[in-house]
Amino acid sequence: MTIADASFLFVTIDAVDTVKAASFWAEVLGTEIDDELDEGRFTFLKGRDDLPVVCIQRVPEPKQAKTRIHLDLGVSDLEAATRRVIELGGSWDGEERQLEPFTWRTLSDPEGTEFDIALVEE
């Protein structure tokens, strides 16, 4: 097998508290919890045409450093999306970034995993 034979399975996010993380990400991504494996060590969120399956994997240690890979999510309203993430237990670093044609914010889930939300003009 070569890497060219590989197929995309899912995006995995590490978390100490998989229940809290799965609930957060299901709400942020507009999906629901689908299945659990290994007594909840792996929790899967339902995918759809515009969303890959997301796996929340329980790990023993909290996040230690900046995430080297992250999700970029398109939203139609940066203010409303930021407020909702904060209501769900996430956080925002307070910076709004721009690089034409993009305007985005870097947010974190309840465990500190960074992700970006970018304004998508409809």
Side-chain angles (χ1 to χ4, degrees):
M1 177 180 137
T2 67
I3 196 67
D5 296 331
S7 62
F8 191 89
L9 295 177
F10 36 80
V11 173
T12 300
I13 299 171
D14 292 347
V16 173
D17 184 342
T18 56
V19 172
K20 184 175 183 179
S23 295
F24 174 87
W25 283 106
E27 189 70 29
V28 166
L29 298 172
T31 189
E32 58 191 46
I33 295 171
D34 188 26
D35 198 12
E36 290 183 354
L37 294 176
D38 196 22
E39 299 177 357
R41 187 165 64 115
F42 300 97
T43 301
F44 295 90
L45 306 182
K46 286 186 178 181
R48 55 180 188 263
D49 287 344
D50 65 337
L51 177 70
V53 172
V54 175
C55 173
I56 308 298
Q57 174 180 287
R58 186 173 53 235
V59 295
E61 69 283 338
K63 183 177 162 295
Q64 298 293 316
K66 184 178 184 322
T67 308
R68 298 292 299 214
I69 188 169
H70 65 266
L71 302 179
D72 290 320
L73 308 174
V75 299
S76 60
D77 185 333
L78 282 174
E79 290 299 324
T82 301
R83 273 194 311 275
R84 185 65 180 137
V85 165
I86 292 168
E87 288 169 3
L88 293 168
S91 60
W92 173 36
D93 68 6
E95 298 283 329
E96 188 163 288
R97 296 158 175 88
Q98 284 192 302
L99 179 62
E100 289 299 326
F102 300 104
T103 300
W104 74 95
R105 293 176 177 177
T106 298
L107 303 145
S108 295
D109 74 5
E111 295 206 7
T113 301
E114 299 94 354
F115 64 100
D116 290 334
I117 55 172
L119 183 61
V120 176
E121 303 289 334
E122 292 184 12

